[in-house]
Amino acid sequence: MLDYYVNLARSVRRGAKQFRGRLGHGEFLRLLAQRMMGRGSLLDLIQARAGIEPDRIVLVCGDRRLRFSEFAERVGCLSRGLWDIGIRAQVPMAIFSRNTFSYPQLIAAFNSIQADGVLINYRLKTAEAEYILKDSKSRIVFYSEDLTETVRELKKRLPEVKHWYSSEEMDLDDPSYAALMIDKEPALPPEATKKAHKVEPKGLLYTSGTTGRPKGAVRNVKKAVTMGMVMISEFGFNADDVHLVVCPLYHGAPIALASMNLIVGVPLVIMKKFDPEEVLATIHREKVTSVFLVPYMLQAILKLPEEVFKKYDTSSLRAIISSAAPLPADAKLKTLDRFGEVLYEFYGSTEAGINTILYPQDVRRKSRSVGRIAPGNKVKLYDDEGREVGPGERGEIFAYSSALIDGYNELPEETKKCFRGKYFSVGDVGVMDEEGFLTIVDRKSDMVLSAGVNIYPAEIEVALREHPDVDDVAVIGVPDEEWGEALKAFVVPRSGSKPTAEALIQFCKAKLAGYKKPKTVEFVDDLPRNPSGKVLKRELRDRYWKDRDVKV
C-alpha cells in the first residue's frame, strides 16, 4: 500500500499545479484528496466547479450543450432518481450504448451513489451481451436506440434485470434516463452519502478471453482516479483545454480520459460516431486541444486529401494521444508533419492502465518505441524460463502500477495466470533499450488488435466449429492497411463438404459481433501442430509478419 499512497501524492501534486489559476491550489487538493480517499464523489467536484464557473460549457454533443450549473443539477437529480428506485452502493449498473449526450451524466451519477459501473460494447450480439449482464449481475441497463431489438430479446432472457432505460433523450420501449430526474432534488439523502463513503466501488470493463468468453476486469475506482492523475500530469492537461471524445466510451482509455478531464472542469465534446473529416471539423469548430485516437482512426485522418485539411484550422491541438495498438512509425512521423509536435503514444491495457508513454519530443528519434515507463509504474521483462532480461533482450512484459486491476470477475485461476508476484502481463513481448524505451516486438497471446479493438481468435474458432462443414479451424491476425490487423481463418473442411468463404463469414456474423467475423478464409488440408496437438499459429503468422517491424 505504501507505493499506492506515494504515487498518489506525487500525482496529486503534479496535477494541482496545472489548475492553480482556476480552482486554486488548496481547494483543488482538498477536493481531490477527498475523492481519492473515497470521502467524496465526482458530483462533489462537478458541483464545486459549477459554483466557480456556472456558465462555462462543460458538455457538447451534437446540437446539445450543457453549462456547469446545468450539468451539476442534472447529475444530482439523476443520482437521486436512481436512489429512489432502489439503486445503492456497489449495485452493478450497465451502459449498453453508443456515445450519447447522457453517457457522461450516467457515469457521474453512478459514481455519486458509488454504484459499480459496467460498460458494454454496443457492437455485441444478444448472447454476448447476455453473458456480460449475467456475469456482472447488472440490475439496471441504459441502452441506445440502435439496440432496441437486441434489448427486447435480452429482456426475455434476463428477468433478473429490474430496470431498463433509454440512454437517449427520447423514450424507446422504455422511458428515457431523463425520466429519473423529474421532480427530484439535485442531491442524495444524508444516509446515501454516509453509506457511500464506507464502500469501495468498482468498474467492470469486459475484455474477451482466450477461452472464448469475455472477462470482466475489476478495477477499484479510487485506483482509476490515481491513474487519471498521471494522465493529467503527463499529457499536460490544463483548465483551458477542450477534450474531444471520438472513441467509444465503453473502452478503458476513452472513459478514463473523459472522466479525468471532467473532474478538473475540462469541457467534453462527444462525437457519436467516427468520421475522419468530421473530426477535423469538430476540432476547428470547438477549438479542441486534446483528443484520443486509436491508430486506425488517426491513419484514416492522415489519408484525407490535402484540400480537406485546408478547410479546417487545427492549430488549437496540443495533444493527440494514441494507444490500443502500436502506431506504425511512418504514421507517427506523418502526424508530426501534419499537426506539429503534439503526438503522445502510450502502452498499456485495460488491466494494467498506462505503463509507458512516448512524448512528442521523443517521437522522431524513437518512432518504433512506445516510450519510457510512466510515473508510478514498474515494468519488467521475463524470458520463457522466467528469468528477468536486460536491455536489448526480448521478454514478456509484466507491469505494476497502483491502478492495476484487482483481477478478473469471479475468475481466480485466470487472474492467477496473469500475475508474476505483483506484476501483471497481457502477453506482449518487448525489448527495452539502454535509454529505457520499450518497443513491442511480438504478442505472446493470440489476441488480435483490429481497429484498436481486442479480439481473441478462440471465440471465432468456437463459432466456426459449430458449422456443419468445418472440421478444424485456426484464426490469426494478418497485416491490414486500414485496420492494422484483419482476421484470417484457416479452415479444414469436413470430408465430402465444400463450404465457401462467404458462407462461413456470414455464419460468424450471425453469431458474433460484426467486427469478429473473419475478413478472409483460406481452406487447407490440415493445420500445423506440435507433438501435444496444439496448433502452431506462429507458422501460420510467419508468412505475413516475419518481415514487419512489429509482429502481433
Side-chain angles (χ1 to χ4, degrees):
M1 288 301 291
L2 179 61
D3 283 344
Y4 172 75
Y5 289 111
V6 170
N7 295 331
L8 173 63
R10 289 173 179 167
S11 295
V12 169
R13 185 166 60 251
R14 282 192 297 268
K17 291 177 182 178
Q18 303 287 337
F19 300 95
R20 286 177 182 168
R22 285 199 177 273
L23 188 56
H25 182 75
E27 179 68 1
F28 180 85
L29 279 174
R30 184 183 70 79
L31 290 169
L32 193 58
Q34 285 184 346
R35 176 70 196 95
M36 293 281 197
M37 303 309 295
R39 292 192 294 272
S41 71
L42 183 53
L43 180 58
D44 297 330
L45 287 160
I46 291 167
Q47 288 174 334
R49 300 294 307 185
I52 297 166
E53 296 180 296
D55 294 327
R56 190 180 187 207
I57 297 297
V58 67
L59 181 61
V60 177
C61 185
D63 58 359
R64 295 294 306 274
R65 291 174 181 266
L66 277 185
R67 295 179 175 87
F68 266 115
S69 56
E70 297 168 322
F71 187 84
E73 182 174 12
R74 288 174 69 92
V75 172
C77 292
L78 183 55
S79 302
R80 184 57 180 259
L82 290 168
W83 176 267
D84 287 349
I85 64 169
I87 303 302
R88 298 294 185 264
Q90 295 183 307
V91 171
M93 302 170 63
I95 304 179
F96 184 34
S97 171
R98 292 182 178 272
N99 289 358
T100 61
F101 180 65
S102 70
Y103 219 118
Q105 300 173 64
L106 290 168
I107 292 295
F110 290 8
N111 183 268
S112 297
I113 299 175
Q114 303 285 55
D116 295 343
V118 182
L119 309 184
I120 303 178
N121 182 345
Y122 59 79
R123 299 170 72 183
L124 297 183
K125 297 291 187 179
T126 305
E128 298 168 301
E130 177 189 6
Y131 174 82
I132 290 175
L133 289 169
K134 282 184 175 179
D135 185 70
S136 64
K137 299 180 175 61
S138 294
R139 291 298 174 263
I140 181 170
V141 180
F142 295 87
Y143 65 94
S144 51
E145 182 181 13
D146 54 306
L147 299 173
T148 301
E149 288 299 323
T150 299
V151 167
R152 285 174 183 164
E153 182 60 32
L154 287 172
K155 287 179 181 178
K156 299 175 186 176
R157 304 184 186 189
L158 297 168
E160 61 269 31
V161 177
K162 302 302 181 185
H163 305 282
W164 300 84
Y165 285 91
S166 162
S167 66
E168 309 276 6
E169 290 294 290
M170 67 186 109
D171 291 348
L172 300 176
D173 285 355
D174 300 287
S176 167
Y177 76 100
L180 289 165
M181 305 178 193
I182 297 173
D183 297 327
K184 301 297 180 184
E185 289 292 324
L188 290 168
E191 63 269 26
T193 305
K194 184 177 180 180
K195 183 176 181 180
H197 290 169
K198 296 179 179 179
V199 303
E200 294 280 354
K202 61 181 182 289
L204 275 81
L205 295 174
Y206 276 80
T207 178
S208 293
T210 55
T211 61
R213 284 291 194 182
K215 295 183 290 187
V218 181
R219 172 170 283 120
N220 180 291
V221 171
K222 283 196 302 186
K223 292 182 179 181
V225 175
T226 308
M227 178 178 66
M229 287 308 300
V230 172
M231 294 178 177
I232 290 173
S233 173
E234 301 307 310
F235 299 143
F237 296 139
N238 65 73
D240 293 316
D241 275 335
V242 175
H243 183 67
L244 177 60
V245 179
V246 181
C247 297
L249 284 166
Y250 65 77
H251 275 306
I255 192 63
L257 284 162
S259 296
M260 291 314 300
N261 275 291
L262 192 59
I263 279 178
V264 294
V266 174
L268 302 180
V269 180
I270 310 288
M271 288 183 63
K272 294 185 175 181
K273 62 179 181 179
F274 172 67
D275 176 87
E277 185 172 352
E278 186 56 30
V279 170
L280 297 181
T282 304
I283 293 169
H284 171 94
R285 183 176 64 252
E286 304 294 341
K287 299 295 183 285
V288 169
T289 61
S290 67
V291 60
F292 175 82
L293 297 165
V294 296
Y296 98 87
M297 292 179 173
L298 186 49
Q299 291 175 283
I301 292 169
L302 293 172
K303 289 177 182 178
L304 290 171
E306 183 65 28
E307 55 268 26
V308 173
F309 276 97
K310 288 180 178 178
K311 292 163 58 177
Y312 307 105
D313 178 7
T314 59
S315 61
S316 60
L317 269 180
R318 57 157 203 78
I320 297 175
I321 304 162
S322 182
S323 189
L327 184 61
D330 62 338
K332 293 179 185 177
L333 299 178
K334 287 178 183 177
T335 300
L336 296 184
D337 293 340
R338 172 61 69 185
F339 296 101
E341 307 295 307
V342 299
L343 179 63
Y344 295 79
E345 183 180 30
F346 70 82
Y347 166 74
S349 63
T350 298
E351 293 89 341
I354 294 176
N355 304 134
T356 69
I357 302 175
L358 182 66
Y359 298 89
Q361 64 267 27
D362 295 318
V363 172
R364 292 192 185 276
R365 71 186 188 93
K366 296 288 185 179
S367 60
R368 290 190 174 91
S369 164
V370 290
R372 288 173 167 160
I373 299 173
N377 281 253
K378 296 178 182 178
V379 174
K380 294 184 178 182
L381 275 62
Y382 292 93
D383 64 19
D384 289 341
E385 283 71 47
R387 295 174 299 212
E388 188 174 355
V389 303
E393 298 180 272
R394 289 185 178 215
E396 183 176 355
I397 302 165
F398 283 80
Y400 167 78
S401 77
S402 59
L404 191 63
I405 64 168
D406 297 332
Y408 293 118
N409 190 45
E410 298 184 359
L411 292 172
E413 291 304 314
E414 287 289 323
T415 299
K416 186 178 179 180
K417 290 176 185 176
C418 298
F419 276 95
R420 183 184 293 272
K422 67 179 182 179
Y423 290 79
F424 191 96
S425 174
V426 293
D428 292 331
V429 176
V431 174
M432 192 84 74
D433 69 15
E434 293 286 351
E435 295 182 71
F437 284 87
L438 179 68
T439 299
I440 310 300
V441 297
D442 208 342
R443 186 163 299 280
K444 189 173 182 179
S445 68
D446 291 332
M447 187 179 77
V448 174
L449 283 165
S450 182
V453 177
N454 295 353
I455 306 172
Y456 282 86
E459 194 173 6
I460 297 102
E461 291 163 357
V462 168
L464 280 171
R465 287 192 181 100
E466 293 179 3
H467 193 284
D469 294 334
V470 172
D471 185 52
D472 204 358
V473 61
V475 176
I476 66 169
V478 297
D480 185 88
E481 289 299 317
E482 183 176 8
W483 305 113
E485 288 186 78
L487 292 168
K488 183 178 184 68
F490 293 85
V491 173
V492 179
R494 197 172 298 280
S495 179
S497 67
K498 293 184 178 181
T500 65
E502 184 57 28
L504 296 182
I505 291 170
Q506 291 304 314
F507 182 77
C508 274
K509 186 177 179 180
K511 297 178 101 30
L512 302 170
Y515 65 86
K516 296 179 184 178
K517 70 179 187 297
K519 188 174 183 179
T520 57
V521 175
E522 182 175 332
F523 295 100
V524 295
D525 293 331
D526 53 31
L527 298 172
R529 295 181 182 275
N530 66 11
S532 65
K534 183 178 180 180
V535 175
L536 298 173
K537 291 190 176 182
R538 167 69 63 195
E539 294 186 11
L540 297 175
R541 284 193 290 258
D542 273 350
R543 74 179 84 165
Y544 300 98
W545 290 104
K546 65 180 180 180
D547 295 324
R548 294 269 170 159
D549 290 327
V550 177
K551 295 192 296 181
V552 283

